[in-house]
Amino acid sequence: MRKVFVREMLSGRNLDACYDLRRDEVEKAIEYINRQVGTAIDIGELTFLTEMNVIMSMLWGGTLEADQQNKVGAEFRKVFAKMLRLLSKPNISDFFPILARFDIQGIEKQGKALLQIVEEIFDAVINERVKIVEDEIKNAGKKKDSIHILLELEKQEVDGVKINMRQLKAIMMDIVIEGPTPQPLWLS
């Protein structure tokens, strides 16, 4: 799966196709900074949001209209923030694994609820993507986005690997969660 992902989605051709999306998001961030002259700007938050927007654009930029993309992005950011808070909570089950099945703090239950919300977001985006006809993409000159590439991989077998919808969503989750994860400066 990892080899297929790297070869198909992170190829130079596909990254070049997303260049305009990345440039547009960086330009938006620079414009925002220019409008904020004389006020304090949280560069860490701005960087995080810009990176998140770039990933969202690359993931479903060709699928959703700008308004829809902003709405989905905002919704996903809320869920993402909740996930980070949940994952950063100390969990007693980490120290006493025998207590894990009881989920004393409700962390597993909350995590499953958040994953359900993420899955609903992905389902909506994928369903929207499936509605788009191949000819419309070719005729409109739209570039393939990551969802389109993943849906193509779902239909064919590459290197003996055929992905299913659950794996497709897991790859999307990895892309979105791993990309903009903020890290302390000392880890950079």
Side-chain angles (χ1 to χ4, degrees):
M1 288 291 293
R2 190 171 292 147
K3 283 195 305 189
V4 170
F5 171 74
V6 169
R7 189 179 73 230
E8 296 293 327
M9 294 186 63
L10 297 179
S11 68
R13 177 179 44 88
N14 286 331
L15 291 176
D16 288 345
C18 295
Y19 174 78
D20 291 336
L21 295 172
R22 295 190 311 264
R23 187 186 70 226
D24 290 346
E25 290 301 329
V26 171
E27 285 175 358
K28 286 178 192 174
I30 292 170
E31 288 173 15
Y32 173 78
I33 290 171
N34 286 334
R35 288 191 310 267
Q36 302 300 317
V37 173
T39 60
I41 299 173
D42 184 349
I43 295 295
E45 181 179 343
L46 179 65
T47 304
F48 172 78
L49 291 175
T50 302
E51 192 175 348
M52 184 72 147
N53 288 339
V54 166
I55 290 170
M56 294 292 189
S57 295
M58 289 174 66
L59 191 59
W60 48 66
T63 302
L64 302 176
E65 297 301 322
D67 293 341
Q68 261 186 314
Q69 184 175 339
N70 291 336
K71 181 183 171 198
V72 170
E75 191 176 342
F76 203 90
R77 276 192 287 278
K78 287 180 196 173
V79 173
F80 185 75
K82 289 178 184 178
M83 281 183 174
L84 283 177
R85 280 194 298 275
L86 184 65
L87 292 172
S88 64
K89 278 185 180 179
N91 189 347
I92 196 161
S93 299
D94 292 339
F95 301 106
F96 303 104
I98 197 161
L99 298 175
R101 64 183 163 145
F102 300 114
D103 192 26
I104 295 171
Q105 296 167 283
I107 291 176
E108 183 178 349
K109 181 180 177 183
Q110 292 172 33
K112 286 180 180 180
L114 290 173
L115 286 175
Q116 181 65 35
I117 294 169
V118 170
E119 190 165 347
E120 289 170 7
I121 293 170
F122 286 159
D123 283 340
V125 172
I126 290 169
N127 290 337
E128 185 72 24
R129 180 49 153 158
V130 170
K131 289 179 188 175
I132 296 174
V133 180
E134 279 294 322
D135 295 328
E136 287 181 42
I137 296 168
K138 291 176 185 172
N139 294 336
K142 292 184 179 179
K143 295 187 175 14
K144 289 181 184 178
D145 55 25
S146 298
I147 293 175
H148 185 258
I149 294 167
L150 286 170
L151 288 171
E152 284 180 349
L153 290 174
E154 183 193 26
K155 295 176 186 172
Q156 63 189 11
E157 189 172 309
V158 179
D159 291 342
V161 176
K162 185 172 180 177
I163 65 173
N164 59 35
M165 190 57 70
R166 185 180 176 120
Q167 292 166 325
L168 186 143
K169 290 177 191 175
I171 290 172
M172 289 173 59
M173 178 71 127
D174 282 347
I175 292 169
V176 175
I177 297 296
E178 293 297 325
T181 303
Q183 59 180 344
L185 291 175
W186 55 271
L187 287 178
S188 302

